[in-house]
Each structure stands twice: as structure tokens, then as C-alpha cells.
Amino acid sequence: MLLYHMKTFLIAAITADGFIARNSNHLADWTSKEDKQFFTQKTKQAGVVIMGLNTYKTIGKPLLGRHNVVYAPPNQEQREGVEITQKPPQELLKDLENKGYSEIAICGGATIYTLFMEAGAVDKLYLTVEPILFGSGIHLFNKELNVKLELESTQKLNEQSILLEYNVIK
């Protein structure tokens, strides 16, 4: 049973065939400007972004206006504006709640999405489906899961991209 009261959401853009990237170095330059605007607005509203080291490296710098938490080895060089962690999801979320945060954005990649989903620490998913096919690449999750979702809303971000909002059924 999780003790925290905060809301934790997973936010991602996926291709029409379900991939988040071609490979671990792939920049998110294939997503629409509307998806980027939604991502910025939603993560700034949350105030905290959690991501893995590969995702952080593809961004290349801390996201402004947000507390950046990066899962990385303890020997990872500290960067200004970035909290490096190896804590289990529940422990990290409790620490962030104690710092006064009430909403957390899980920003990828697949290993981090899977880590938080397996821990039962995700309340909501925001998935932007973009009109592109990669054929192969990195899936949203990298392990087998059995999680049921409830569709809360759909929204057209533009003529081609759809935002799906799901609640995780716990």
C-alpha cells in the first residue's frame, strides 16, 4: 500500500505503431509542436520531472521551471539543476512529497516507465499518438505488465495527433 497522496502521471509520445524512439540516442524531434507544448505545460504544472539517464542525455540539459530527477549510477557527475537518484519509486515519491510536491511527471524512457508502473506508482497516463511509423524501436515499456486502464479523455492536438488520457485502475 502506497502512503503518498500525490498524483503521478506518465507522459509520452508514441508512434502509431507504439514506439517511443528508434533507439536510446533518438531525439524526440519527431513529435508535433502541439505535443511539445502539452508536455511543457503539463510538466511545469507538476513541477517535478523524473527520467532516466538516456532520456536526460537526449534532452541535454535540465528542463527549466521544473525540479529534474534523473535515475543514474551514483558515480554519475552531478549537474546543476539535476537530482541524481537510485531510490525505489515509493521512497523517491515520499521524499518529493515531503519537499512539498503534489504532482509528479514520469518522462521516460522505457526502463523508468516500467519501473514506476511495476511499483504501482502511476495514477494516470498521457499518451500522444503521432502519425508516424518506426517499424521497430523502443516500446513504451520493456517488461511484461498486467495493468488495466480506463480512458478518461481523447483530444485532438492538431489535425494528425491525438492525446489519450488514461487512469490506471488500481
Side-chain angles (χ1 to χ4, degrees), residues 16-88:
D17 55 351
F19 297 101
I20 60 171
R22 291 182 188 279
N23 58 56
S24 61
N25 303 318
H26 190 201
L27 304 178
D29 56 2
W30 55 272
T31 66
S32 60
K33 75 176 188 338
E34 293 84 358
D35 173 67
K36 288 176 177 58
Q37 289 166 347
F38 176 76
F39 177 90
T40 300
Q41 176 253 319
K42 201 72 193 151
T43 58
K44 280 189 172 177
Q45 176 189 314
V48 179
V49 290
I50 298 173
M51 66 190 90
L53 187 57
N54 286 340
T55 300
Y56 177 77
K57 285 178 178 175
T58 64
I59 297 168
K61 61 186 189 295
L63 296 172
L64 297 175
R66 290 148 279 191
H67 180 67
N68 289 249
V69 180
V70 176
Y71 272 84
N75 62 353
Q76 188 63 33
E77 169 191 333
Q78 289 291 328
R79 291 183 170 86
E80 179 111 12
V82 175
E83 176 185 340
I84 301 288
T85 191
Q86 301 84 40
K87 292 178 181 170

